[in-house]
Amino acid sequence: MFCCSLHLSVCLSNAGDGNPRESSPFINNTDDNKGNLYDGKNMALFEEEMDSNPMVSSLLSKLANYTNLTQGVREHEEADEDEGAKRQTVKSPQMGTFIGVYLPCLQNILGVILFLRMTWIVGTAGILEAFIIVTMCCSCTMLTAISMSAIATNGVVPAGGSYYMISRSLGPEFGGAVGLCFYLGTTFAGAMYILGTIEILLTYIVPNTAIFKAEEKAEEADALLNNMRVYGTCCLTLMALVVFVGVKYVNKLALVFLACVVLSILAIYAGVIKTIFEPPVFPVCLLGNRTLQNHGFDKCMKTEIIDNVTVTTKLWSLFCKGPELNASCNEYFSLNNVTEIQGIPGLTSGVISENLWGSYGPAGMLVEKAIPSVPASDASQDKHMPYVVNDITAFFTLLVGIYFPSVTGIMAGSNRSGDLRDAQRSIPIGTILAIATTTIIYLSCVVVFGACIEGVVLRDKFGDSVKGNLVIGTLSWPSPWVIVIGSFFSCCGAGLQSLTGAPRLLQAIARDGIVPFLRVFGHGKANGEPTWALLLTAVICECGILIASLDAVAPILSMFFLMCYLFVNLACALQTLLRTPNWRPRFKYYHWALSFLGMSLCLALMFISSWYYALVAMLIAGCIYKYIEYRGAEKEWGDGIRGLSLNAARYALIRLEEAPPHTKNWRPQLLVLLNLDSELSVKHPRLLSFTTQLKAGKGLTIVGSVLEGTYLTRESDGKRAEQSIKSAMAAEKTKGFCHVVVSSNLRDGFSHLIQSAGLGGMKHNSVLMAWPASWRQSNDPQSWKNFIETVRETTAAHQALLVAKNVDSFPHQERLAEGTIDVWWIVHDGGLLMLLPFLLQQHKVWRKCKMRIFTVAQLDDNSIQMKKDLQMFLYHLRLNAEVEVVEMAQLIHDRNTASHAALSDKTDATPERVHMTWTKDKFCTERNRNREPNASVAVRDLFNMKPNQSNVRCMHTARWLDS
């Protein structure tokens, strides 16, 4: 019976008193912040104390300190107010779920799209399709919030917002990609809010201040865009100056911006209830079934009777060439009558049945009501008439892209992670409750708008049919100006918050150093304000403003936010599915299937909204991820992606074990055997450069070496040798693994490496080593014996052996301008001799070298036919090489003669270069010089030797070697 006991002892004590910390009710809190824990909870001993600080007073006190700005703003504000004092960097948590998470998320989600585009989306898509759009987008953010909640409950939530939380949980690659996508989305959101601010200003508040004015109706769209560009640029400059001077002014108005949003929502619902009893009077004038712009006339009639005299109205002059009754008029105007309907018939009017289905159409399409009319034969002049028309081509996927920014802002609460009393509890509850609340508001708005407002008014984007009023404002109580003013300040506040939060996010990414070229944006003013990051944010925001159309900017930021949410869902799903050791979220009702569903929904919404924007966003995010992985991922934050990589490697190794590699997938997987000198430095570093040129970073490379001795005595030398080899590998740009073995002798050490290097299916199939230097002059016979034994053991292991002779003379990094790679081919090699030079040619050093294949012909062979056959064989292998067929005689010398001995001595003393290429003339000359009978018999026996047929078949099956 086996018994095991594990003893863990943890000692926690207070400084100086020796008492256990567990005995204190204030664990992990100092005396300074004890009061904060119970602030506002009214733990009064006497009833009289309730009067001094009641619960409502505590709530109002917290609301007075409410801020919708990202973390870090308060510290900068305090530094501005007290420049001489030391800047505070750590503050005790103050905010709960309601103030710290719920309200900021609510304020960021309810914004410009609700006020400016929601009615148009409902009218264009119809109630049913608008309901589908809202449901899809809100489901996407809800599933993403669940994934983010899992991250928030996985451990201690670091201060710094969503970027810090995600990067420290999911790793620098995911964190950087999510952070930069979130930054770009927030920056373009600032442009969208500024464009919304200018649209409200120029369309509904002071339309007469427009600089560019259209002389004709067809020029109105261009004039509006130019006005948006000019005023938007001025507004951006002003907001950027406010943020640069001090965010304390933005912070002081945070509660005002929140109040604008809340009061606007309440005004809408109050107006809806009022329509049941007394619908507001907003008449809409129709000519036939066409909706008219109610700007240039005051009465919806063609003529009127004044003092028993029939006179024409201002409406008449818009369609006729004169005020006379017999004047020439537009054909459609003459054929149809004008009627007046109520634009807001009310909740019980039954108009909901008319608004169930959508009414999509191209730009310039007339906004018409489904009533009979007399068509005109000539419609060429309709574009000059005061009709309400579509300003853009509307279709379902476009509406999805325009609407999605209205459900973003779910990370507003997590951005205050350092200011929350209990971030692991507040972020999930506050975020999910905010999304649930806004989802109910949006879905109810879809039904309410469709049930209270006429369809022609809903499709009237700018309210031209209701005398230029904001369409959603016509439904509010007590006045449309409540919504106009509220939405104006809401958009201003949201724009300022975007310009405040985006630079700080970029500054945080830059200071982490995971993206090297962004480090310059980590600097700022003395108090930490991100000056350079603010400048870049303003430049990117200006690009969005130059687009000048809110409908065109909205899909762009939708892509970046969707890509951000996609990364969050993907990482959480993979970690939960594979159950990495450091992935232990406390979010119990979270499941991996929800994250996969959220990821799929994000991906679907991206391509539904705009497939080309989706491809661009995916390309940008992918480039960011790969760049951080390649250059900047030097941070080790204990993230879950490292565990995910381990699981993926384990899965891949098990798959490799299932079956041996096919010949199509075969490539040399190298075990490089290195020798070290007495200083533990690599003797032949060119062997590593040759490995780099041969492998080009592909396949498996294991660099091994052996130290003589015992591991206990040479442990430190083994680590030094490993570091020396890794440094040499880095210098030679060799990608692979290093393995140093300490053994009693070199022979056993190399034997162990050949047998045990690698793991599972990731094992070497080839051994690369250098030719032993000066082994003939060595007094120790063990040097050449070790080499011979290594050759024999490699052969016994059925592995290929590559021996590099004179490796120190091999090319390093310099490119060869010309040259040849000569291969003496034999059929027994299985194709390896042809594969190696081809792999070398893929590297830049050998790219300009030509490949030559030499083969030996027997005396009775047809050399011409052999050359043709070999050329065809190389063609099938897709190898570009020159073929040379040569005839070589085996020179047999009598080693017992004195001349042969003298020749051998001379060769040893003064080695000459041996020419291995034999021509036919040289062969005949040599054959005549060596006419001994026994030599002829030996040559004949040599050429009559036949290769092993199994090796021949192996060669033919290895024809399609994968390079």
Side-chain angles (χ1 to χ4, degrees):
M1 185 175 180
F2 178 75
C3 298
C4 177
S5 61
L6 178 65
H7 299 277
L8 296 176
S9 60
V10 180
C11 297
L12 299 175
S13 61
N14 293 324
D17 57 7
N19 297 325
R21 288 288 299 271
E22 285 85 345
S23 62
S24 174
F26 307 107
I27 296 177
N28 298 330
N29 283 277
T30 61
D31 293 337
D32 295 335
N33 58 17
K34 290 178 184 178
N36 297 329
L37 188 64
Y38 300 96
D39 183 28
K41 293 189 177 180
N42 293 308
M43 300 181 65
L45 295 178
F46 302 99
E47 185 177 357
E48 290 79 4
E49 294 182 10
M50 294 289 294
D51 298 332
S52 62
N53 190 22
M55 182 63 71
V56 175
S57 174
S58 301
L59 179 60
L60 293 178
S61 176
K62 289 185 177 181
L63 283 175
N65 296 323
Y66 168 79
T67 174
N68 195 32
L69 300 178
T70 55
Q71 189 176 352
V73 173
R74 291 185 175 183
E75 288 81 356
H76 296 159
E77 182 181 342
E78 292 173 359
D80 283 335
E81 294 175 352
D82 189 8
E83 296 180 356
K86 183 179 180 180
R87 182 164 56 97
Q88 298 181 2
T89 57
V90 179
K91 292 184 69 67
S92 58
Q94 296 287 337
M95 296 183 181
T97 302
F98 183 75
I99 301 295
V101 180
Y102 180 78
L103 288 182
C105 287
L106 200 71
Q107 182 178 353
N108 279 267
I109 295 174
L110 298 173
V112 59
I113 300 297
L114 172 64
F115 299 122
L116 296 182
R117 293 293 182 268
M118 193 65 189
T119 54
W120 174 72
I121 291 174
V122 174
T124 304
I127 296 176
L128 295 180
E129 292 188 19
F131 203 90
I132 293 174
I133 292 174
V134 173
T135 303
M136 285 195 307
C137 295
C138 291
S139 299
C140 176
T141 54
M142 178 63 78
L143 293 172
T144 304
I146 293 175
S147 298
M148 187 177 65
S149 299
I151 298 173
T153 60
N154 189 47
V156 177
V157 180
S162 299
Y163 162 70
Y164 282 94
M165 183 177 67
I166 294 173
S167 62
R168 269 57 176 181
S169 297
L170 305 181
E173 297 91 351
F174 272 107
V178 170
L180 287 177
C181 286
F182 189 43
Y183 164 74
L184 292 173
T186 305
T187 303
F188 276 100
M192 184 188 70
Y193 291 129
I194 292 174
L195 291 175
T197 301
I198 303 305
E199 182 176 315
I200 296 173
L201 181 68
L202 296 181
T203 306
Y204 307 110
I205 299 180
V206 282
N208 296 326
T209 59
I211 299 175
F212 300 92
K213 297 182 179 180
E215 297 180 358
E216 297 182 2
K217 185 175 181 295
E219 300 175 355
E220 290 180 357
D222 293 334
L224 177 62
L225 294 179
N226 290 329
N227 285 316
M228 297 284 282
R229 293 185 180 100
V230 173
Y231 279 94
T233 302
C234 296
C235 183
L236 172 63
T237 304
L238 180 61
M239 288 184 176
L241 288 175
V242 170
V243 174
F244 176 77
V245 171
V247 295
K248 58 184 177 181
Y249 305 108
V250 184
N251 196 18
K252 294 181 184 299
L253 295 174
L255 189 60
V256 176
F257 300 146
L258 174 62
C260 290
V261 173
V262 175
L263 291 177
S264 299
I265 300 296
L266 294 177
I268 293 172
Y269 283 104
V272 170
I273 297 173
K274 184 176 181 294
T275 60
I276 301 175
F277 311 102
E278 184 183 353
V281 179
F282 282 98
V284 176
C285 189
L286 301 178
L287 175 61
N289 65 348
R290 300 176 180 179
T291 310
L292 297 178
Q293 294 182 355
N294 198 349
H295 291 305
F297 59 93
D298 51 355
K299 296 179 180 180
C300 185
M301 56 180 66
K302 294 182 180 181
T303 60
E304 60 179 338
I305 300 176
I306 300 178
D307 298 331
N308 295 325
V309 178
T310 302
V311 297
T312 59
T313 61
K314 293 182 179 180
L315 179 60
W316 178 281
S317 61
L318 295 177
F319 289 88
C320 301
K321 294 183 178 179
E324 299 82 8
L325 291 173
N326 58 354
S328 177
C329 297
N330 179 266
E331 181 183 3
Y332 188 85
F333 181 77
S334 302
L335 295 175
N336 294 274
N337 295 323
V338 293
T339 56
E340 190 175 69
I341 63 173
Q342 281 299 323
I344 315 294
L347 194 62
T348 59
S349 63
V351 73
I352 187 173
S353 60
E354 300 179 8
N355 296 330
L356 285 177
W357 308 105
S359 179
Y360 301 106
M365 186 186 79
L366 301 176
V367 176
E368 299 175 338
K369 185 176 175 60
I371 57 176
S373 65
V374 181
S377 59
D378 183 15
S380 59
Q381 297 300 317
D382 289 345
K383 61 182 180 180
H384 301 292
M385 298 294 105
Y387 297 126
V388 177
V389 298
N390 290 349
D391 63 323
I392 60 174
T393 301
F395 44 92
F396 179 80
T397 57
L398 174 70
L399 299 185
V400 174
I402 293 176
Y403 173 75
F404 188 81
S406 65
V407 298
T408 58
I410 62 174
M411 294 184 177
S414 60
N415 286 337
R416 291 151 189 79
S417 55
D419 292 332
L420 299 176
R421 184 180 300 117
D422 187 358
Q424 295 188 31
R425 178 178 178 274
S426 296
I427 290 176
I429 295 176
T431 304
I432 292 176
L433 283 179
I435 295 175
T437 303
T438 54
T439 300
I440 294 173
I441 291 175
Y442 281 127
L443 291 176
S444 62
C445 284
V446 170
V447 178
V448 164
F449 294 161
C452 294
I453 306 176
E454 273 285 350
V456 291
V457 179
L458 289 174
R459 297 195 297 275
D460 183 4
K461 183 185 293 185
F462 302 108
D464 292 321
S465 61
V466 286
K467 297 183 178 180
N469 283 286
L470 183 62
V471 175
I472 195 174
T474 60
L475 197 61
S476 65
W477 180 85
S479 168
W481 285 99
V482 176
I483 302 297
V484 173
I485 300 301
S487 60
F488 176 78
F489 283 107
S490 175
C491 291
C492 286
L496 286 170
Q497 291 155 13
S498 297
L499 291 178
T500 303
R504 282 167 176 76
L505 179 58
L506 180 62
Q507 185 184 48
I509 298 173
R511 287 182 173 177
D512 270 346
I514 60 176
V515 184
F517 68 86
L518 292 179
R519 288 176 181 170
V520 64
F521 299 106
H523 306 291
K525 294 194 296 186
N527 64 342
E529 281 290 320
T531 307
W532 292 107
L534 176 61
L535 180 62
L536 178 63
T537 302
V539 171
I540 298 176
C541 192
E542 175 65 18
C543 296
I545 289 175
L546 292 179
I547 298 175
S549 173
L550 188 149
D551 301 322
V553 173
I556 297 177
L557 66 99
S558 295
M559 290 304 107
F560 286 114
F561 278 121
L562 280 169
M563 182 56 63
C564 174
Y565 299 161
L566 175 65
F567 270 99
V568 174
N569 283 300
L570 174 62
C572 292
L574 291 178
Q575 289 197 100
T576 307
L577 182 63
L578 297 176
R579 294 180 178 86
T580 53
N582 57 347
W583 183 249
R584 297 181 295 273
R586 203 172 59 188
F587 204 58
K588 298 301 182 183
Y589 51 93
Y590 168 77
H591 193 263
W592 64 267
L594 294 179
S595 284
F596 268 118
L597 181 60
M599 178 192 68
S600 303
L601 192 54
C602 287
L603 196 62
L605 285 175
M606 289 177 65
F607 283 93
I608 287 175
S609 302
S610 175
W611 64 268
Y612 44 89
Y613 281 158
L615 293 178
V616 172
M618 293 177 68
L619 178 63
I620 293 175
C623 290
I624 294 171
Y625 183 93
K626 296 304 293 184
Y627 178 81
I628 295 175
E629 183 182 48
Y630 180 69
R631 289 290 306 275
E634 300 176 356
K635 303 292 183 180
E636 181 54 52
W637 292 322
D639 55 85
I641 301 302
R642 304 302 177 189
L644 180 62
S645 301
L646 178 61
N647 277 317
R650 170 185 167 275
Y651 174 78
L653 288 173
I654 292 176
R655 287 293 303 273
L656 287 176
E657 283 284 285
E658 294 178 358
H662 194 271
T663 53
K664 292 182 180 180
N665 300 319
W666 192 93
R667 69 182 306 121
Q669 314 292 351
L670 292 182
L671 170 63
V672 184
L673 299 181
L674 292 180
N675 289 326
L676 304 179
D677 57 18
S678 58
E679 300 296 329
L680 300 181
S681 299
V682 178
K683 282 186 178 181
H684 304 291
R686 292 292 178 89
L687 195 63
L688 292 175
S689 62
F690 177 71
T691 304
T692 303
Q693 297 160 13
L694 185 63
K695 299 292 293 181
K698 298 178 181 178
L700 176 67
T701 300
I702 302 175
V703 180
S705 185
V706 178
L707 297 181
E708 288 190 284
T710 62
Y711 184 72
L712 293 178
T713 58
R714 304 205 64 181
E715 176 188 2
S716 59
D717 291 340
K719 293 181 179 179
R720 284 175 49 213
E722 187 173 345
Q723 291 299 323
S724 175
I725 294 176
K726 287 182 178 180
S727 300
M729 292 173 64
E732 302 297 337
K733 300 180 180 180
T734 304
K735 296 181 180 179
F737 305 97
C738 176
H739 193 27
V740 176
V741 173
V742 180
S743 180
S744 58
N745 56 75
L746 295 179
R747 174 183 172 182
D748 291 342
F750 285 122
S751 177
H752 294 157
L753 281 176
I754 293 173
Q755 296 178 60
S756 61
L759 177 63
M762 289 292 290
K763 293 183 67 67
H764 61 280
N765 54 28
S766 305
V767 176
L768 174 62
M769 59 189 301
W771 185 268
S774 63
W775 61 276
R776 287 188 176 182
Q777 287 77 23
S778 177
N779 296 326
D780 184 13
Q782 196 64 30
S783 61
W784 58 267
K785 288 183 178 180
N786 288 337
F787 174 75
I788 293 176
E789 289 298 326
T790 303
V791 173
R792 295 178 62 186
E793 290 175 350
T794 303
T795 305
H798 300 287
Q799 297 176 2
L801 177 62
L802 286 73
V803 180
K805 192 172 184 181
N806 298 326
V807 67
D808 293 329
S809 302
F810 280 27
H812 186 224
Q813 298 293 339
E814 62 279 4
R815 302 187 182 185
L816 300 176
E818 58 182 3
T820 58
I821 304 176
D822 294 342
V823 177
W824 285 86
W825 178 70
I826 55 175
V827 75
H828 305 71
D829 74 329
L832 183 61
L833 283 177
M834 291 188 178
L835 178 61
L836 294 180
F838 173 77
L839 294 177
L840 282 175
Q841 283 182 315
Q842 308 309 305
H843 196 271
K844 61 182 181 180
V845 173
W846 303 84
R847 190 163 295 157
K848 294 184 179 181
C849 294
K850 296 181 180 180
M851 179 177 169
R852 295 193 303 181
I853 305 294
F854 292 91
T855 186
V856 179
Q858 299 182 19
L859 295 178
D860 55 353
D861 285 335
N862 187 342
S863 301
I864 299 177
Q865 186 61 39
M866 287 184 62
K867 184 173 183 179
K868 290 182 179 180
D869 293 342
L870 189 55
Q871 286 176 339
M872 181 59 65
F873 180 68
L874 293 176
Y875 173 77
H876 289 160
L877 290 178
R878 302 298 187 267
L879 294 178
N880 185 17
E882 298 179 4
V883 177
E884 295 290 341
V885 179
V886 298
E887 297 178 356
M888 179 180 292
Q890 175 68 30
L891 301 182
I892 299 179
H893 299 280
D894 188 3
R895 297 184 180 181
N896 298 325
T897 60
S899 59
H900 185 273
L903 181 62
S904 299
D905 294 339
K906 182 178 180 181
T907 304
D908 291 339
T910 57
E912 297 178 356
R913 183 171 181 177
V914 180
H915 298 276
M916 294 300 296
T917 303
W918 288 68
T919 64
K920 188 173 182 179
D921 295 337
K922 292 175 64 179
F923 167 73
C924 295
T925 303
E926 199 65 33
R927 183 176 58 183
N928 293 331
R929 291 175 56 190
N930 301 276
R931 278 294 184 180
E932 294 84 0
N934 56 347
S936 298
V937 174
V939 171
R940 177 64 62 183
D941 292 339
L942 173 66
F943 284 127
N944 286 335
M945 291 176 62
K946 298 295 182 181
N948 188 289
Q949 293 302 313
S950 62
N951 291 333
V952 175
R953 287 194 299 271
C954 183
M955 175 62 201
H956 290 298
T957 55
R959 290 187 304 176
W960 305 104
L961 295 176
D962 184 12
S963 62

